Amino acid sequence: MSKIIIRGARILGGEPQDVLIDGETVTEVGTGLDAAGATVIDAEGQILLPGLVDLHTHLREPGREDSETVLTGTRAAAVGGFTAVHAMANTFPVADTAGVVEQVWRLGKESGYCDVQPVGAVTVGLEGKKLAELGAMHDSAAGVKVFSDDGKCVDDAVIMRRALEYVKAFDGVVAQHAQEPRLTEGAQMNEGIVSAELGLGGWPAVAEESIIARDVLLAAHVGSRVHICHLSTAGSVEIVRWAKSKGWNVTAEVTPHHLLLTDELVRTYNPVYKVNPPLRTEADVMALREALADGTIDCVATDHAPHPHEDKDCEWAAAAMGMVGLETALSVVQQTMVDTGLLDWAGVADRMSFRPAAIGRLVGHGRPVSAGEPANLTLVDPAYRGAVDPAGFASRSRNTPYEGRELPGRVTHTFLRGRATVVDGKLA
Ligand code: DOR
Ligand code: ZN
Ligand code: ZN
């Protein structure tokens, strides 16, 4: 079995220590560990985190392999420091049966770069009309615990109630893409001053907030777990804060792009900024950062949404919604949360590994960096500064809003059960 010693890394930002990996497991943590027979990685000045976990990734396979595959998406995940991702169900065919989730699960096993936990659709074909086979997906080899119609909102309150009741039996969770469809018909961007000036159809905050308010009440009524995808408004934060103060089983995520970017960027008419939910205002961004810092928002999730250039390099109204995010997520979180003093590295480990793993009930991920634990680890150089170059992405798609932007930090190494998937910032 191969041995690796990581020398002098600051675990969760603490004092420098050595970490010995033997085979798939962390076997020792301490100072001055014996490196005999081990490959040595000099990690002076670097931060060691538990492998990152993404609750919200679009891997596109099956059906849209022109934008991403499980293989290319998991390679992008590894480059970004992730050791596990949840693969969203809006594929073609939709992941609404045991057969499709098992297919995605199997492709994940074969990829070898990152664990893939399929998300199951809530309704058949994401059509919002009829509950999918939630139990069969849970009982399948994929062991689905998270269900979502993401891309679409489960807008029928009765269907949402039934889904919450159903998943309660096996401690599952419904992850809601909160978007009231009637309030967002023809919507192209955040409803506000910028949309009024540009004459683009507005997407009001209340379209998100009204669904969140309804769903936290439903979750409380049923006594089940609801997770809110990609919070984007200050009002959404207030509702989640209120629901948590009641002791209800509500969790929430925020994307890196909603922590950094605002609707002012839409003035460029560059569709790379077109995303669902839309980029909001500076006040929303600040409220989201604060909520992530105080724990109202549980975790960061990328909503990595790869699209081929023909679906993005077109006029604003025709462009697809979404941006890639796996390879830049940690850097954006460092810039917006760590370098601003809102979160320390232990906080980053919590919001990007411990909590998302706990919400998804993932086994073997989101574990402390200590002896006896699976060696799922991410080593970060926080002093690195570099401009984002999409040409170098491992993802099959290039639709990043950060092209040419200087971001701090770089993942130097990622380990999946002791195997280095990334070495010196490059895929191994
Ligand atoms: O921007 C988005 N893109 N938001 C979603 O909810 C879906 C996603 C996609 O699948 O492209
Ligand atoms: Zn969504
Ligand atoms: Zn999504």
Side-chain angles (χ1 to χ4, degrees):
M1 269 297 186
S2 64
K3 280 192 189 182
I4 299 167
I5 189 159
I6 302 171
R7 274 264 188 250
R10 297 171 51 205
I11 301 172
L12 274 54
E15 291 304 310
Q17 287 194 291
D18 302 341
V19 172
L20 186 65
I21 301 170
D22 193 347
E24 300 188 354
T25 311
V26 172
T27 50
E28 258 187 287
V29 176
T31 45
L33 296 188
D34 179 10
T39 305
V40 179
I41 294 171
D42 176 12
E44 202 193 314
Q46 299 199 43
I47 309 290
L48 188 62
L49 300 174
L52 307 183
V53 174
D54 194 9
L55 264 180
H56 192 145
T57 311
H58 295 274
L59 291 178
R60 303 295 191 221
E61 193 175 2
R64 283 308 300 267
E65 293 83 355
D66 56 329
S67 49
E68 197 79 285
T69 64
V70 171
L71 182 61
T72 61
T74 53
R75 289 163 74 107
V79 169
F82 292 87
T83 53
V85 299
H86 289 74
M88 274 298 171
N90 63 338
T91 49
F92 302 93
V94 171
D96 59 2
T97 62
V100 179
V101 294
E102 280 187 354
Q103 179 191 356
V104 174
W105 177 78
R106 214 173 312 109
L107 288 165
K109 289 259 172 251
E110 288 161 10
S111 92
Y113 284 91
C114 171
D115 284 353
V116 175
Q117 175 57 57
V119 172
V122 176
T123 68
V124 174
L126 307 178
E127 282 172 358
K129 302 280 187 252
K130 192 169 167 280
L131 270 196
E133 301 164 7
L134 310 187
M137 288 189 270
H138 172 263
D139 294 340
S140 75
V144 177
K145 288 273 176 79
V146 182
F147 295 87
S148 183
D149 274 2
D150 182 62
K152 287 192 178 167
C153 181
V154 180
D155 66 314
D156 184 314
V158 174
I159 298 270
M160 189 63 183
R161 176 190 177 159
R162 297 279 173 255
L164 288 166
E165 285 170 346
Y166 206 111
V167 301
K168 191 181 170 186
F170 49 77
D171 193 28
V173 62
V174 179
Q176 176 68 294
H177 169 113
Q179 178 187 356
E180 210 294 316
R182 293 273 290 136
L183 286 171
T184 50
E185 278 173 17
Q188 291 288 331
M189 66 170 298
N190 178 48
E191 180 179 304
I193 293 165
V194 182
S195 69
E197 285 182 20
L198 298 181
L200 287 174
W203 190 307
V206 66
E208 176 171 313
E209 293 155 5
S210 56
I211 294 290
I212 298 175
R214 183 200 74 178
D215 287 352
V216 299
L217 290 166
L218 276 176
H221 180 66
V222 172
S224 187
R225 286 206 290 147
V226 72
H227 176 77
I228 313 296
C229 297
H230 42 52
L231 253 66
S232 72
T233 78
S236 297
V237 166
E238 283 312 303
I239 297 163
V240 169
R241 191 171 278 136
W242 171 73
K244 287 192 167 185
S245 77
K246 296 280 197 184
W248 299 341
N249 240 327
V250 174
T251 56
E253 69 189 32
V254 62
T255 70
H257 46 274
H258 288 108
L259 290 172
L260 180 61
L261 309 176
T262 72
D263 64 353
E264 289 293 332
L265 290 163
V266 180
R267 293 185 191 280
T268 63
Y269 289 107
N270 185 343
V272 80
Y273 302 117
K274 187 173 176 183
V275 66
N276 176 352
L279 301 177
R280 305 283 189 182
T281 68
E282 186 72 19
D284 293 309
V285 167
M286 291 306 156
L288 293 166
R289 290 184 187 182
E290 255 173 55
L292 184 64
D294 73 20
T296 301
I297 296 177
D298 299 81
C299 62
V300 174
T302 67
D303 201 2
H304 176 81
H307 291 291
H309 73 90
E310 58 273 23
D311 291 356
K312 286 300 265 186
D313 296 348
C314 52
E315 60 174 305
W316 180 275
M321 291 183 282
M323 31 184 78
V324 292
L326 286 168
E327 295 174 71
T328 49
L330 188 58
S331 289
V332 174
V333 170
Q334 183 182 333
Q335 173 161 325
T336 58
M337 301 300 296
V338 181
D339 294 354
T340 54
L342 285 166
L343 217 54
D344 57 15
W345 287 105
V348 172
D350 186 63
R351 308 301 197 272
M352 295 187 80
S353 182
F354 299 147
R355 290 227 225 173
I359 292 166
R361 303 288 193 255
L362 267 192
V363 176
H365 293 275
R367 304 290 308 161
V369 181
S370 51
E373 296 290 352
N376 296 317
L377 302 167
T378 299
L379 195 55
V380 190
D381 176 6
Y384 178 88
R385 294 288 178 281
V388 176
D389 177 13
F393 278 176
S395 171
R396 182 162 282 184
S397 290
R398 300 281 177 267
N399 52 304
T400 175
Y402 310 117
E403 179 168 8
R405 192 188 273 255
E406 184 164 297
L407 292 177
R410 184 173 79 131
V411 171
T412 63
H413 292 72
T414 308
F415 298 92
L416 179 63
R417 281 179 292 278
R419 181 172 93 78
T421 53
V422 172
V423 174
D424 293 328
K426 303 257 180 320
L427 278 171

